[in-house]
Amino acid sequence: RDEVELMNPESVKVMEKVHYENLSSLRSKRKMTIQLVEECDVLMSEYHQIQQKFSKEKEARVRSLTILEEKLKTDSKLSVLQSAHKKLRNLLHDIRNDPERYRALTRKMNPDGGAGV
């Protein structure tokens, strides 16, 4: 039967037409595939750039947070030192204003004759 169809000119024309349609479709699909691959490459490149930018921004935020944490620790230490300084300054002021009170207090704390204030 296949041989009979090959001998029939109309059948050969139909087969040639189908062949060219298939070939045309294949070429069209190949072009679309190439175009999609190119678009994919562009998108992957953009994604990579966005990922790098995000990574750099994240590193900058981490650095910034680390600096802020260090400043907070320093501020906390400074606050404690300022508080101690204020208390010592007030104590020194009190001692200068009423030295006898502090001499008596020192004698009570050191009754065996240690040197007073």
Side-chain angles (χ1 to χ4, degrees), residues 6-71:
L6 287 175
M7 289 183 198
N8 180 352
E10 284 300 314
S11 179
V12 170
K13 286 183 181 180
V14 169
M15 283 190 278
E16 283 179 350
K17 182 180 176 190
V18 168
H19 169 74
Y20 287 116
E21 287 173 355
N22 286 342
L23 189 59
S24 175
S25 174
L26 185 62
R27 285 180 179 149
S28 172
K29 288 178 182 175
R30 183 172 182 258
K31 281 183 183 178
M32 287 192 303
T33 301
I34 290 170
Q35 185 179 1
L36 287 172
V37 168
E38 289 171 352
E39 289 176 12
C40 183
D41 286 345
V42 169
L43 290 173
M44 288 302 290
S45 177
E46 289 176 3
Y47 171 77
H48 183 67
Q49 290 173 353
I50 290 169
Q51 195 175 33
Q52 284 180 327
K53 180 181 173 189
F54 174 77
S55 179
K56 287 178 184 177
E57 289 173 354
K58 182 179 175 186
E59 288 174 11
R61 285 192 301 270
V62 168
R63 271 194 307 275
S64 177
L65 284 175
T66 303
I67 290 169
L68 287 175
E69 285 175 350
E70 291 301 317
K71 284 183 179 179

Side-chain angles (χ1 to χ4, degrees), residues 70-114:
E70 291 301 317
K71 284 183 179 179
L72 181 62
K73 287 178 188 175
T74 302
D75 289 351
S76 177
K77 290 175 185 177
L78 185 59
S79 176
V80 169
L81 288 173
Q82 285 175 335
S83 176
H85 175 75
K86 183 178 178 182
K87 288 178 182 178
L88 288 172
R89 188 183 66 222
N90 289 342
L91 178 62
L92 184 59
H93 180 72
D94 290 348
I95 290 171
R96 285 183 181 153
N97 285 340
D98 192 2
E100 279 306 312
R101 177 175 169 223
Y102 287 95
R103 283 191 187 107
L105 185 61
T106 303
R107 281 187 220 113
K108 284 182 186 176
M109 291 175 62
N110 195 0
D112 58 355

